[in-house]
Amino acid sequence: QVQLVESGGGLVQPGGSLRLSCAASGSIFSRYVMGWYRQAPGMQRELVARITSGGNINYGAFVKGRFTISRDNAKNMVYLQMTSLKPEDTAVYFCNARMSIFSSTMGGYWGQGTQVTVSS
């Protein structure tokens, strides 16, 4: 069982930056594929970024170089650095842990989410 707690969300103006953090429990953190997903009201949850235990990284198509995912296995932490934020980035951002990159979007363990609002 993995417990995940997100932080770092908030209100930011278009073009601004935020760094999201996810703290994970357990001593097997390094074995998991870690990811960030987001969900806007009335929309499906979608992949933002993921990073495997081996350091392989994938991003959602909408990221286009604006976001960077990283992990610190010694601290059981995963981060999402977001820059050039747009109003359409507004969503609840969820941290996720799973054992396989082939599982479904809703698979694995989930945090409660942190709200990101991009608005003037």
Side-chain angles (χ1 to χ4, degrees), residues 91-111:
V92 177
Y93 284 70
F94 297 91
C95 185
N96 173 262
R98 62 184 66 202
M99 293 298 295
S100 173
I101 63 172
F102 303 111
S103 58
S104 67
T105 297
M106 296 302 297
Y109 302 95
W110 297 92

Side-chain angles (χ1 to χ4, degrees), residues 4-7 20-22 34-41 43-50 69 78 80 82 91-98 105-107 109-116:
L4 306 169
V5 180
E6 303 96 335
S7 62
L20 307 184
S21 299
C22 174
M34 301 299 301
W36 289 96
Y37 295 72
R38 71 185 188 186
Q39 189 166 19
M43 303 294 291
Q44 298 295 310
R45 191 167 299 185
E46 61 183 348
L47 174 70
V48 179
R50 69 183 181 201
I69 189 172
V78 61
L80 183 69
M82 304 188 293
V92 177
Y93 284 70
F94 297 91
C95 185
N96 173 262
R98 62 184 66 202
T105 297
M106 296 302 297
Y109 302 95
W110 297 92
Q112 290 299 116
T114 185
Q115 177 70 46
V116 172

Side-chain angles (χ1 to χ4, degrees), residues 17-91:
S17 300
L18 284 173
R19 188 179 75 163
L20 307 184
S21 299
C22 174
S25 66
S27 61
I28 61 170
F29 171 82
S30 63
R31 303 181 186 178
Y32 284 88
V33 180
M34 301 299 301
W36 289 96
Y37 295 72
R38 71 185 188 186
Q39 189 166 19
M43 303 294 291
Q44 298 295 310
R45 191 167 299 185
E46 61 183 348
L47 174 70
V48 179
R50 69 183 181 201
I51 181 168
T52 71
S53 59
N56 188 36
I57 296 173
N58 295 101
Y59 294 103
F62 57 85
V63 170
K64 297 183 179 179
R66 299 182 297 126
F67 300 172
T68 302
I69 189 172
S70 61
R71 66 192 296 167
D72 186 337
N73 290 336
K75 296 182 177 180
N76 286 6
M77 298 287 291
V78 61
Y79 307 96
L80 183 69
Q81 179 66 51
M82 304 188 293
T83 62
S84 301
L85 285 162
K86 307 173 181 179
E88 52 263 44
D89 294 320
T90 296

